[in-house]
Amino acid sequence: MMRTHYCGLVTPALIEQTVSVCGWVNTRRDHGGVIFIDLRDREGVVQVVCDPDQPQVFALAERVRSEYVLRVTGRVVARSAALVNPKLATGAIEIVATELEILNVAVPPPFQLDDDNLSETTRLAHRVIDLRRAQMQNNLRQRYRISMAVRRFLDEAGFIDIETPMLTRSTPEGARDYLVPSRVHHGMFFALPQSPQLFKQMLMVSGFDRYYQITKCFRDEDLRADRQPEFTQIDIETSFLGEGEIREIMEDMVRGIWKQELGFDLPQPFQVLSFAEAMRDYGSDKPDLRVTLKFCELTDVMKSVDFKVFSGPANTPGGRVAGLRIPGGGELTRGEIDAYTEFVKIYGAKGLAYIKVNDVAQGREGLQSPIVKNLSDEALKAIIERAGLVNGDLIFFAADRAKVVNDALGALRQKIGHEKGHAQAGWRALWVVDFPMFEYDDEAKRWVAMHHPFTAPKDGHEDYLTTDPSQAIAKAYDMVINGWEVGGGSIRIHRADVQSKVFDALAIGPEEAQMKFGFLLDALRYGAPPHGGIAFGLDRLSAMIAGAESIRDVIAFPKTQRAQDLLTAAPSPVDEKQLRELHIRVRDQDKN
């Protein structure tokens, strides 16, 4: 037997026993005649003592360097009380080596494993070494535990793990597909799935009732910290359950994960906000409820003021004027206010007006701001009452198209909330529900599905699909934790007449629908049950729980923000013979 125990699992219970361990040299220290080696494996580190009384062991120990791979056999002994290391699980014992074998040598690694100031480029280019670091080992082990908790929960709840294809048909799902050319069928392409959405619906028609899968999905889209071209989705679908029942099951699953990994009790039930409420109060459909600040709606107040900066957007269709009260914000310096003004410009805002409240009782005279002179007494009174302003407060204003106001003031709410002590500790979970069915694409001049074209409208909203799509609300729901959308889903359309109305609203004719989605539409004709589901981002869940800044820190071999794998140098050119077999020619970018 090569080993009897993992390094990190050698405990005081094994004192005076002989053990064999294998691992990598974490550190080697020569203390004037005695050599100490910290040996590391996936379970932790144990100290090995190499004494000159064992000449063969000692001679080999003199040759050992960092990251050498060793096998050690020896006797477990207790450390003296003065030498106990409380920072290590094995800190109360050590192994006195009687045998030492160098299983493999190692060149010096490109960086020290305890270096916390590594660039991401260095880490990803040398990912094999980066994954040896304790933080990465912990992250990936935690991700594994989360996956297993999901599997256990869903198995006990009667869900069946079913695989769906990786090579499928290209369908419009909101992002670019990754295409795979077919060698056998000249000029034809497979697509890698953006999600298993259509297949899981067909599984419901097939009668499997409760399905899940932890699977890879692929989207060729612009990347950022919480996106990857390939990502892992916890995909779930069920039949004969309503929206509330699905949400209840999913809450239980997520509460179990948070309790297991963080010892934190998420609320039961989660708070529920409508999409309209979330946008009104927070400017976001994934609000961070740890931040206690809220918007104040002022569009109607500003319609009649002479100040065009406010009255212009207030009287423009799709415009909005909103305020953000900052308790105690009167202490903000002019430099801080100028910095926040520059910050909101990132989100399209042209500027950031404000009013400081010195003394509410003095009315106009108790307010400090360049814009006070432009507002009527009635408008100022309404602002004070609606925002609940008191002495020492400050209120910021944003006036523009609703999207600009929501994005800019929402980001400012987050920034000030966390910087100025207006954010609570812990975890805040909620459901955002009642999303619009559609959003209008100004460029394409037509309605597009906010989720996907198979999302069901709320009961009683079917007629809006033909009369006024802007009023149609979907049976859609997102789970949000601390400002992160961790999962989203909906009840699906299972009736042909409703599906036809949705396609009409989306300007998708019968022929186009059959061409793009015919296989699903045909399946739905064979007695489709009411069904719905949800999908969670495993990468995002894992990153949140690990406290990682990026999902790349919880993925073993991730891509960069330019969709490159620095370890394997992918993507890369391929042989001309391979291209000919696929009937593909690569054009020079400089030529038409």
Side-chain angles (χ1 to χ4, degrees):
M1 181 182 295
M2 186 166 284
R3 69 177 170 198
T4 60
H5 296 80
Y6 281 101
C7 295
L9 300 181
V10 180
T11 67
L14 297 171
I15 287 174
E16 297 305 325
Q17 294 186 32
T18 297
V19 299
S20 294
V21 293
C22 297
W24 288 262
V25 175
N26 204 54
T27 59
R28 173 190 174 278
R29 306 178 303 280
D30 190 337
H31 285 189
V34 178
I35 295 174
F36 296 91
I37 296 171
D38 286 344
L39 198 64
R40 182 192 75 244
D41 62 18
R42 74 174 201 185
E43 298 295 339
V45 176
V46 67
Q47 179 169 282
V48 175
V49 180
C50 302
D51 195 286
D53 291 344
Q54 297 283 337
Q56 288 184 318
V57 167
F58 193 79
L60 284 173
E62 289 185 308
R63 293 170 45 196
V64 164
R65 295 294 180 267
S66 291
E67 301 306 312
Y68 275 33
V69 186
L70 307 182
R71 175 180 179 273
V72 175
T73 297
R75 183 168 56 92
V76 180
V77 300
R79 296 195 198 188
S80 66
L83 297 178
V84 168
N85 184 350
K87 295 181 180 180
L88 289 178
T90 60
I93 57 90
E94 57 193 12
I95 299 173
V96 177
T98 55
E99 297 178 29
L100 188 150
E101 180 182 358
I102 298 176
L103 300 175
N104 212 339
V105 299
V107 297
F111 49 79
Q112 295 298 314
L113 269 61
D114 58 357
D115 187 346
D116 294 327
N117 296 310
L118 299 169
S119 72
E120 187 171 68
T121 298
T122 298
R123 291 177 55 205
L124 295 183
H126 301 282
R127 191 61 162 184
V128 173
I129 305 302
D130 185 49
L131 288 173
R132 291 183 183 178
R133 298 192 306 125
Q135 185 60 58
M136 292 303 299
Q137 292 269 320
N138 292 338
N139 286 356
L140 292 186
R141 286 167 67 88
Q142 185 172 66
R143 179 187 172 115
Y144 161 75
R145 292 195 302 270
I146 293 168
S147 297
M148 289 305 298
V150 167
R151 292 187 183 279
R152 284 193 299 269
F153 177 89
L154 293 174
D155 181 66
E156 291 172 3
F159 288 81
I160 301 170
D161 183 355
I162 303 175
E163 293 182 354
T164 54
M166 283 290 109
L167 295 174
T168 184
R169 180 187 177 89
S170 179
T171 57
E173 294 187 44
R176 296 184 193 90
D177 286 323
Y178 276 99
L179 299 177
V180 181
S182 169
R183 179 185 60 81
V184 177
H185 302 283
H186 181 198
M188 300 293 182
F189 292 82
F190 295 104
L192 300 179
Q194 294 186 33
S195 78
Q197 178 63 49
L198 303 182
F199 286 105
K200 68 180 180 181
Q201 289 190 246
M202 290 189 288
L203 286 170
M204 295 302 101
V205 181
S206 299
F208 284 97
D209 194 75
R210 294 192 176 193
Y211 139 96
Y212 86 96
Q213 186 180 189
I214 299 179
T215 185
K216 285 290 185 189
C217 301
F218 306 85
R219 293 179 186 173
D220 186 6
E221 58 187 351
D222 295 335
L223 305 181
R224 58 184 185 222
D226 59 349
R227 283 183 180 172
Q228 282 280 288
E230 52 180 331
F231 57 95
T232 304
Q233 188 163 288
I234 305 168
D235 201 51
I236 299 167
E237 196 81 2
T238 183
S239 298
F240 305 114
L241 290 181
E243 178 181 341
E245 294 168 302
I246 293 173
R247 295 206 317 252
E248 185 178 349
I249 293 172
M250 295 303 104
E251 278 188 28
D252 287 343
M253 183 181 80
V254 171
R255 265 193 296 271
I257 294 170
W258 251 252
K259 184 67 173 178
Q260 170 186 291
E261 293 302 316
L262 299 170
F264 189 90
D265 291 310
L266 290 173
Q268 185 173 3
F270 289 2
Q271 182 176 347
V272 179
L273 282 177
S274 71
F275 173 86
E277 291 170 330
M279 299 306 292
R280 180 195 68 200
D281 293 344
Y282 308 106
S284 171
D285 60 1
K286 47 181 184 294
D288 184 350
L289 294 189
R290 292 174 301 172
V291 177
T292 56
L293 307 177
K294 281 188 177 184
F295 286 12
C296 169
E297 183 58 56
L298 297 169
T299 306
D300 59 321
V301 173
M302 299 304 177
K303 285 180 181 289
S304 58
V305 301
D306 293 330
F307 193 36
K308 298 298 183 184
V309 172
F310 287 171
S311 61
N315 287 288
T316 301
R320 185 181 189 189
V321 183
L324 181 68
R325 174 192 170 225
I326 313 298
E331 296 181 358
L332 291 176
T333 66
R334 185 53 191 263
E336 288 176 310
I337 292 172
D338 289 344
Y340 290 138
T341 301
E342 291 302 310
F343 172 75
V344 298
K345 289 180 180 178
I346 298 171
Y347 300 90
K350 299 178 182 68
L352 189 63
Y354 71 92
I355 294 177
K356 286 186 177 183
V357 182
N358 297 326
D359 189 348
V360 170
Q362 292 186 28
R364 177 185 296 274
E365 301 306 317
L367 305 177
Q368 178 185 342
S369 168
I371 69 168
V372 169
K373 63 180 181 293
N374 299 311
L375 300 175
S376 65
D377 289 342
E378 292 77 9
L380 291 172
K381 180 180 178 183
I383 292 169
I384 291 169
E385 290 178 352
R386 287 200 184 181
L389 295 172
V390 298
N391 295 346
D393 287 350
L394 176 145
I395 183 169
F396 283 115
F397 300 90
D400 209 308
R401 289 179 295 111
K403 184 180 187 313
V404 172
V405 170
N406 293 337
D407 289 350
L409 215 55
L412 185 66
R413 171 184 172 271
Q414 284 283 99
K415 183 176 179 63
I416 292 178
H418 287 287
E419 287 182 353
K420 298 298 182 180
H422 300 294
Q424 301 164 341
W427 300 91
R428 292 292 301 275
L430 75 149
W431 289 101
V432 178
V433 302
D434 294 350
F435 285 81
M437 283 280 292
F438 310 105
E439 50 191 344
Y440 195 75
D441 187 329
D442 290 321
E443 187 174 328
K445 304 297 183 186
R446 66 184 183 89
W447 294 102
V448 295
M450 181 167 275
H451 281 70
H452 56 68
F454 306 102
T455 300
K458 290 190 78 69
D459 297 339
H461 284 231
E462 293 88 352
D463 289 342
Y464 287 133
L465 300 175
T466 53
T467 61
D468 188 357
S470 68
Q471 297 299 310
I473 301 299
K475 292 182 179 178
Y477 36 85
D478 283 355
M479 183 185 289
V480 178
I481 301 179
N482 285 13
W484 287 49
E485 178 198 326
V486 296
S490 67
I491 301 299
R492 324 303 185 187
I493 297 169
H494 69 284
R495 286 169 38 197
D497 60 325
V498 177
Q499 186 65 73
S500 178
K501 289 181 179 180
V502 170
F503 282 153
D504 287 344
L506 295 170
I508 297 175
E511 291 185 6
E512 183 183 359
Q514 189 64 32
M515 180 184 70
K516 292 179 176 178
F517 308 109
F519 56 95
L520 175 62
L521 299 178
D522 290 343
L524 293 177
R525 295 190 181 101
Y526 294 105
H531 60 285
I534 193 169
F536 292 91
L538 177 60
D539 310 305
R540 189 171 294 184
L541 277 173
S542 301
M544 287 182 68
I545 291 172
E549 293 184 3
S550 163
I551 62 172
R552 290 188 287 277
D553 284 339
V554 295
I555 299 172
F557 301 104
K559 307 295 188 292
T560 67
Q561 287 190 336
R562 297 189 63 196
Q564 293 176 300
D565 182 344
L566 299 184
L567 178 67
T568 64
S572 63
V574 297
D575 188 273
E576 182 66 28
K577 179 183 177 183
Q578 291 177 276
L579 294 177
R580 286 198 303 269
E581 288 178 339
L582 296 170
H583 313 288
I584 289 177
R585 183 177 63 189
V586 178
R587 290 182 176 179
D588 191 324
Q589 277 190 321
D590 296 330
K591 297 179 181 179
N592 291 331

